[in-house]
Amino acid sequence: GGGVAGWTRVLKYSHVINGFTKLAVTKLDILDTFPELNICVGYKINGRDIPSFPADHNLLEKIEPVYKTIKGWEVSTVECRTFESLPEQAKVYVKTIQEFIGVPIAWVGVGQSRDSMIVM
């Protein structure tokens, strides 16, 4: 599968430490061509789930990511200016990240121009 979003698990851990209250998802349009997307929702070491990203750098080579795979949208999001106008699967992607991390997504970027930021 393509579109690996391994940063989601680290972001959830970062939220626990930093306590941020809103997130921005940028460059959503970069994912427009992927038939499926993998979202990292956890990690395993030696086949066992671990509760958080390990602080011990010696364990990093033993980590196995756990992914939730969702269907991609395979259409352009560049012209979208509201959340409602995004393809259904793009909305599923954003909502999945928001639910997993537990922090509201307030902005979604769909291109390079200044008006390409969807305000949620």
Side-chain angles (χ1 to χ4, degrees), residues 1-2 4 13 26 30 40 48 51 56 58-59 61 66 68 76 78 81 84-85 87 94 98 102-103 106 115 120:
V4 176
Y13 179 67
T26 60
I30 300 297
C40 184
R48 300 182 76 180
D56 182 349
N58 294 315
L59 294 175
E61 64 187 34
V66 176
K68 176 176 183 172
S76 177
V78 173
R81 294 298 175 262
E84 293 74 26
S85 67
V94 171
Q98 180 173 271
V103 176
D115 68 337
M120 303 286 281

Side-chain angles (χ1 to χ4, degrees), residues 4 7-8 13 17 40 49 53 57 60 78 90-91 101 112:
V4 176
W7 51 267
T8 53
Y13 179 67
I17 293 170
C40 184
D49 289 330
F53 195 80
H57 72 282
L60 295 182
V78 173
K91 291 188 267 190
I101 296 171
Q112 295 182 352

Side-chain angles (χ1 to χ4, degrees), residues 36-100:
E36 63 181 25
L37 300 160
N38 293 322
I39 301 172
C40 184
V41 295
Y43 293 103
K44 291 184 178 197
I45 293 180
N46 298 325
R48 300 182 76 180
D49 289 330
I50 58 175
S52 63
F53 195 80
D56 182 349
H57 72 282
N58 294 315
L59 294 175
L60 295 182
E61 64 187 34
K62 298 177 184 178
I63 282 183
E64 175 188 344
V66 176
Y67 296 111
K68 176 176 183 172
T69 302
I70 65 169
K71 188 177 182 298
W73 45 95
E74 300 186 85
V75 295
S76 177
T77 56
V78 173
E79 299 299 320
C80 296
R81 294 298 175 262
T82 65
F83 185 75
E84 293 74 26
S85 67
L86 287 171
E88 195 58 39
Q89 282 306 119
K91 291 188 267 190
V92 167
Y93 176 77
V94 171
K95 288 176 184 177
T96 299
I97 293 170
Q98 180 173 271
E99 289 169 11
F100 175 70

